């Protein structure tokens, strides 16, 4: 079975899925997106993802051409058609096709694209090897709470991290606080207390971030949403990143300074096990 | 004759010009662009535009799949095929099509897209009506010297200006200096001296900006590349914006404070006449 896509009202093989060159997603990054994964074939936290998509759409003043329940129907139908054991569903909505000008076009129908790809089964994705991260001065735009496709800065930061021999980068703001990585939220553990940066315009309100906060608190851990500095990272007992597709990955060094070990530390592991127990039935 | 496009090695009607939904231009704003206009049917400053495109490509670490002369050949051929009296040629190069992940794909051929549209004849575009601008705190990314398609912030700023009853916005940096508008460079005139913000990471090295600096100096005006503050704008005798397609447009108010009048002031007009004389044979 080839991967499938949904573009403007119909399903098709992914290989045939195209948009016009004057789609504003292509020429202006004028669009937003979500990525949803399944656990046991069911889309995880779909309502929350679609609610966040609505917030992103509102953030760029774009009215969705589909209701939340219509979109949910397409997600479910695509998962069924694709037939994978586990899927990652990517949803992108742009301001549609119009002769190129930066002003919002009038009477233009937004473009809706979904892709359905296979995701590794839950049993194959336990806590993996820890990664190395570097801190980078944040050069992204100011509205990172909007999940927009204007991702070039994150793409270049990820590459810069790899060029420095690391696996990912976290962004440092002018006030010295760190916010998130190129595609995930950040947690630190110090003396058994968990901390994650508070919500604001320079980080995404990760669905998985919220689930890990809940998981931590439900097993009696203290989990604060408070600023984290670069020095807090250096001094942490454990550091990890969370996202929908990766779930959780432990960090073993920050700017070449060791933090934790080669594997997830004890507190991180407890959070992860609780998250899996509640959400992935594992 | 329908508008035409060039996509990955061939010309086609613009209506049929598409890219894959997993093109990195569509999913990550991972691409750069240029817009070139013609005067009397000949592309204006093409070498400079293609040189800047190379700088933008280098800025995002993308190796162009075509040489500068091959690209120039496509520009000339498209202009001939389109057959307009005057054309605007849009050129976009992205990192190509790959399964979605923020890392650079390997062995992926970049996507090359050009569109050819009609541009108003030179005689129809004298100095038009002056516009109103507002100043906005810059919320764009840090590398605005790269002409990337990550333009969402400029799109939203342009809309914000219109919502405030103005026609465009100029960006103010944390240090209080203004850099450029959503799609053009900025010039101010005070006591017959011309000033434009110096090059740096928060503004594009406009081709037209350079031509206006030359034009000003060639008629004996002082034209400095020095910081411009918001107060400098408020106190200016004349303010104007420059870009390839607009050439020059005068500003009649900044944040609702009048500057100059309803039409371009005397110094702006002299610069414009000299620019036209040298470059547009008019």
């Amino acid at each position: 079975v080839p991967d499938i896509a949904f573009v403007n009202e119909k399903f098709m093989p992914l290989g045939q899925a195209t948009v016009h060159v004057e789609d504003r997603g292509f020429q202006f990054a004028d669009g937003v997106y979500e990525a949803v994964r399944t656990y046991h074939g069911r889309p995880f936290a779909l309502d929350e993802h679609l609610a966040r998509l609505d917030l992103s759409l509102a953030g760029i003043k774009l009215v969705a051409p589909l209701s939340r329940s219509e979109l949910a129907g397409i997600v479910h139908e695509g998962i069924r058609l694709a037939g994978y054991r586990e899927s990652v569903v990517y949803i992108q909505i742009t301001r549609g096709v119009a002769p190129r000008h930066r002003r919002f076009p009038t009477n233009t129908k937004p473009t809706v694209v979904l892709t359905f790809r296979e995701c590794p089964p839950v049993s194959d994705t336990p806590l993996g090897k820890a990664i190395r991260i570097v801190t980078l001065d944040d050069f992204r735009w100011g509205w990172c709470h909007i999940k927009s496709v204007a991702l070039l800065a994150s793409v270049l930061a990820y590459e810069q991290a790899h060029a420095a021999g690391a696996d990912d980068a976290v962004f440092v703001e002018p006030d010295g606080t760190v916010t998130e990585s190129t595609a995930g939220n950040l947690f630190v553990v110090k003396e058994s207390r968990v901390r994650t940066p508070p919500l604001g315009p320079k980080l995404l309100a990760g669905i998985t971030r919220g689930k890990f906060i809940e998981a931590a608190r439900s097993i009696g851990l203290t989990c604060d949403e408070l600023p984290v500095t670069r020095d807090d990272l250096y001094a942490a007992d454990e550091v990890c990143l969370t996202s929908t597709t990766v779930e959780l990955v432990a960090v073993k060094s920050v700017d070449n300074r060791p933090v934790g070990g080669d594997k997830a530390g004890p507190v991180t592991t407890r959070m992860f096990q609780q998250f899996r127990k509640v959400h992935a039935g594992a």
Side-chain angles (χ1 to χ4, degrees), chain A residues 18-243:
Chain A
T18 60
V19 291
H20 192 260
V21 297
E22 290 193 314
D23 192 285
R24 293 178 63 92
F26 187 68
Q27 295 190 324
F28 290 107
D30 192 4
V32 296
Y33 74 103
E34 283 292 326
V36 183
R37 67 167 294 156
T38 63
Y39 285 119
H40 306 293
R42 289 185 300 278
F44 174 58
L46 181 58
D47 289 350
E48 287 168 74
H49 280 283
L50 296 181
R52 187 173 66 183
L53 183 61
D54 278 347
L55 286 177
S56 293
L57 287 165
I60 70 165
K61 299 182 197 302
L62 178 54
V63 177
L66 296 169
S67 70
R68 222 184 272 188
S69 66
E70 286 170 323
L71 208 44
I74 296 163
V75 169
H76 286 290
E77 176 69 359
I79 288 169
R80 193 188 63 75
L81 288 170
Y84 301 125
R85 183 162 162 198
E86 304 290 2
S87 312
V88 177
V89 184
Y90 174 79
I91 308 169
Q92 180 172 341
I93 301 182
T94 78
R95 211 177 305 275
V97 177
R100 187 180 184 284
H101 191 284
R102 64 202 179 290
R103 70 170 166 258
F104 287 2
T106 49
N107 301 317
T108 296
K109 196 172 167 156
T111 299
V112 177
V113 171
L114 290 85
T115 67
F116 300 81
R117 286 194 169 281
E118 189 161 19
C119 181
V122 174
S123 58
D124 292 357
T125 53
L127 277 179
K129 282 175 74 85
I131 63 168
R132 288 161 298 191
I133 63 173
V134 290
T135 59
L136 285 185
D137 288 340
D138 198 351
F139 61 107
R140 300 171 306 162
W141 77 320
W143 297 1
C144 299
H145 62 297
I146 297 172
K147 201 166 169 71
S148 89
V149 294
L151 290 168
L152 180 55
S154 291
V155 165
L156 297 177
Y158 186 82
E159 188 66 19
Q160 207 170 317
H162 280 256
D167 304 292
D168 205 347
V170 294
F171 295 105
V172 183
E173 305 310 314
D175 69 1
T177 62
V178 290
T179 47
E180 60 182 358
S181 75
T182 63
N185 291 110
L186 178 72
F187 286 80
V188 297
V189 181
K190 180 70 178 179
E191 290 163 5
S192 296
R193 295 176 71 102
V194 184
R195 180 183 288 204
T196 191
L199 297 182
K202 299 304 303 235
L203 76 165
L204 186 73
I207 309 289
T208 305
R209 171 186 178 278
K211 301 300 184 198
F212 272 100
I213 292 172
E214 285 172 16
R217 290 175 181 164
S218 75
I219 53 172
L221 292 167
T222 299
C223 183
D224 298 315
E225 296 181 70
L226 286 172
V228 174
T229 65
R230 191 188 258 137
D231 284 339
D232 290 335
L233 284 183
Y234 294 159
D237 298 326
E238 304 175 32
V239 175
C240 64
L241 304 175
T242 63
S243 72

